[in-house]
């Protein structure tokens, strides 16, 4: 049965949805379904803690710095540990990597290892925690490629194009789990009274062109001129509609991308004079979002190359990002690369 054809999606939990898809592959072992169950469990635990953050005395800093040189907040640490604990014991994953941790995270020897490599940003947008604005978790799944007895860094340093699955949880007014496993993008909303994610947004399609742009314009002084010119062009009223693009910026990639995915438009974190590779991390942010964008009919580029084709050189590599509606991303690429002004 195809859930996307049904007018009502009641009863289509995330678990059932992934399980039904698994049945289409007779050789499937169920490992992937179990991996998703554990990801959903981790998401529910983090969502519950996020919703109580103000009450539970969890706001504020731990005083530590993470590998990116940023202050680690308590919820970051909680989310990081939750993902590790939920995924390390199940036997589906052989190696993990987190935005919060310097090196790949091995599976303790007491647990069995599976064939998947999981990379995640446990709490994206953490500077928005203290002000009660949407935050999220991003994940990326690859298959193991190394052949030795133990998995290695090479298993993490794979281009986005080889991702088996990617997705995010957004902790907003409601909690959503949005993912792709290479056959479209599907969104599930958590019903907290039942404790399950239910299919709410089957087969999400990014409009070919949107009406909004999303970029931190506070950085204009350090942008290269083509980036400034592109943003100025977006703000110029269109000749036929008489309207310019509208600006929207949350400062949490998950939230800005989620809006872009549903409504269309373009999100960017460009390279600038200080940061040749922008700010966002290839493996934990750009590559998983790029797979979602392409699967929904959109695009994602560094400005010169498709994000999914970038071959990572190191775990915490940063990359410029232009992502969203196909035509809006094509305009951005043409203008920032200087081929159109
Ligand atoms: P934090 O997790 O440190 O808040 O960073 C969030 C983020 O990586 C991404 O989610 C945002 O899109 C981007 O940074 C916002 O960066 P600016 O604050 O420089 O606009």
């Amino acid at each position: 049965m195809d859930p996307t054809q049904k007018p009502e999606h009641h009863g289509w939990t995330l678990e059932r949805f992934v399980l039904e898809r698994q049945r289409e592959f007779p050789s499937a072992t169920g490992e992937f379904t179990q991996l998703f169950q554990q990801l959903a469990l981790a998401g529910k635990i983090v969502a519950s803690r996020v919703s109580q953050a103000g009450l539970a005395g969890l706001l504020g800093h731990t005083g530590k710095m993470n590998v990116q040189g940023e202050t680690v907040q308590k919820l970051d640490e909680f989310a990081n540990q939750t993902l590790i604990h939920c995924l390390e014991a199940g036997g589906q994953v052989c190696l993990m990597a987190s935005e919060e941790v310097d090196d790949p995270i091995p599976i303790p020897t007491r647990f069995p290892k599976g064939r998947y490599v999981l990379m995640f940003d446990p709490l994206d947008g953490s500077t928005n925690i203290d002000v009660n604005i949407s935050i999220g978790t991003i994940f990326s799944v690859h298959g193991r490629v190394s052949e030795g007895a133990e998995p290695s860094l090479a298993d993490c340093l794979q281009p986005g194009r080889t991702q088996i699955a990617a997705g995010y949880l957004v902790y907003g007014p409601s909690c959503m789990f949005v993912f792709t496993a290479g056959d479209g993008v599907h969104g599930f909303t958590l019903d907290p009274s039942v404790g399950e994610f239910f299919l709410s947004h089957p087969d999400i399609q990014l409009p070919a062109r949107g009406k909004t742009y999303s970029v931190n314009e506070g950085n204009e002084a350090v942008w290269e001129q083509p980036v400034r010119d592109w943003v100025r062009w977006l703000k110029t009223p269109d000749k036929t509609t008489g309207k310019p693009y509208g600006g929207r910026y949350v400062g949490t990639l998950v939230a800005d991308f989620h809006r872009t995915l549903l409504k269309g438009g373009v999100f960017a974190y460009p390279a600038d004079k200080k940061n040749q590779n922008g700010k966002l991390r290839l493996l934990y942010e750009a590559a998983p979002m790029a797979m979602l964008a392409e699967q929904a009919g959109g695009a994602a580029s560094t400005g010169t190359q498709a994000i999914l084709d970038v071959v990572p050189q190191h775990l915490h590599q940063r990359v410029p990002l232009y992502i969203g509606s196909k035509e809006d991303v094509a305009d951005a690429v043409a203008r920032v690369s200087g081929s159109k002004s």
Side-chain angles (χ1 to χ4, degrees):
M1 199 189 309
D2 180 356
T4 61
Q5 301 305 315
K6 294 182 69 188
E8 297 287 341
H9 307 298
H10 302 305
W12 279 97
T13 62
L14 174 62
E15 190 176 334
R16 181 175 164 201
F17 189 88
V18 179
L19 201 59
E20 292 273 338
R21 272 164 162 63
Q22 180 199 312
R23 290 203 183 108
E24 289 166 21
F25 300 93
S27 59
T29 59
E31 260 183 81
F32 188 74
T33 306
Q34 287 160 15
L35 172 69
F36 265 71
Q37 283 169 351
Q38 291 308 109
L39 278 170
L41 173 63
K44 282 186 249 182
I45 295 170
V46 175
S48 152
R49 194 60 73 94
V50 165
S51 69
Q52 296 163 18
L55 296 170
L58 281 164
L59 295 180
H61 302 289
T62 57
K64 292 185 202 161
M65 301 288 268
N66 72 6
V67 62
Q68 315 290 347
E70 302 153 338
T71 311
V72 178
Q73 296 190 295
K74 286 183 184 174
L75 266 172
D76 296 56
E77 243 174 39
F78 177 81
N80 195 46
Q81 286 307 319
T82 300
L83 275 146
I84 293 171
H85 288 150
C86 286
L87 274 303
E88 69 182 359
Q92 301 90 35
V93 172
C94 61
L95 193 63
M96 291 187 267
S98 162
E99 195 218 316
E100 296 290 341
V101 183
D102 293 29
D103 299 313
I105 305 164
I107 302 300
T109 48
R110 64 184 184 282
F111 299 127
K113 290 189 194 70
R115 57 185 148 130
Y116 296 112
V117 179
L118 177 70
M119 288 181 277
F120 53 84
D121 179 352
L123 213 57
D124 174 62
S126 49
T127 50
N128 277 330
I129 297 170
D130 284 359
V131 285
N132 201 13
I133 288 176
S134 296
I135 48 181
T137 297
I138 309 172
F139 63 87
S140 160
V141 181
H142 282 272
R144 181 178 172 183
V145 287
S146 65
E147 285 175 359
E150 293 299 323
S152 70
L153 181 61
D155 294 310
C156 297
L157 300 183
Q158 300 186 58
R161 195 67 72 191
T162 62
Q163 286 172 112
I164 292 169
Y168 60 82
L169 287 115
V170 57
Y171 311 111
S174 56
C175 173
M176 281 190 71
F177 188 117
V178 179
F179 84 97
T180 179
D183 61 349
V185 178
H186 310 287
F188 297 77
T189 303
L190 181 65
D191 180 340
S193 62
V194 184
E196 289 283 0
F197 288 101
F198 288 95
L199 182 63
S200 52
H201 296 65
D203 199 18
I204 297 170
Q205 293 291 320
L206 245 162
R209 186 176 283 284
K211 295 180 181 148
T212 58
Y213 72 99
S214 185
V215 66
N216 184 346
E217 289 198 69
N219 293 330
E220 183 176 357
V222 289
W223 284 345
E224 300 290 352
Q225 195 56 41
V227 176
R228 284 192 201 142
D229 292 344
W230 167 60
V231 173
R232 197 163 302 143
W233 173 78
L234 289 167
K235 293 193 283 190
T236 309
D238 180 79
K239 285 197 183 79
T240 34
T241 64
K243 289 185 184 162
Y245 277 69
R248 295 281 186 282
Y249 193 73
V250 178
T252 297
L253 175 65
V254 168
D256 283 315
F257 179 76
H258 186 63
R259 182 196 57 251
T260 305
L261 181 67
L262 296 183
K263 304 267 186 197
V266 58
F267 169 90
Y269 210 108
D272 60 50
K273 289 174 185 157
K274 285 204 214 144
N275 303 298
Q276 286 301 305
N277 292 313
K279 176 181 182 188
L280 302 180
R281 293 77 171 174
L282 173 59
L283 292 173
Y284 317 106
E285 296 180 304
M289 293 316 200
M291 183 180 185
L292 289 159
E294 286 202 7
Q295 281 290 319
S301 172
T302 62
T304 54
Q305 184 183 17
I307 291 283
L308 292 181
D309 293 333
V310 178
V311 180
Q313 302 300 312
H314 55 92
L315 213 46
H316 298 287
Q317 182 171 336
R318 295 173 195 261
V319 73
L321 177 65
Y322 297 85
I323 190 165
S325 293
K326 212 171 206 164
E327 292 175 14
D328 290 320
V329 172
D331 283 340
V333 169
R335 286 172 187 274
V336 301
S337 68
S339 61
K340 192 172 181 184
S341 54

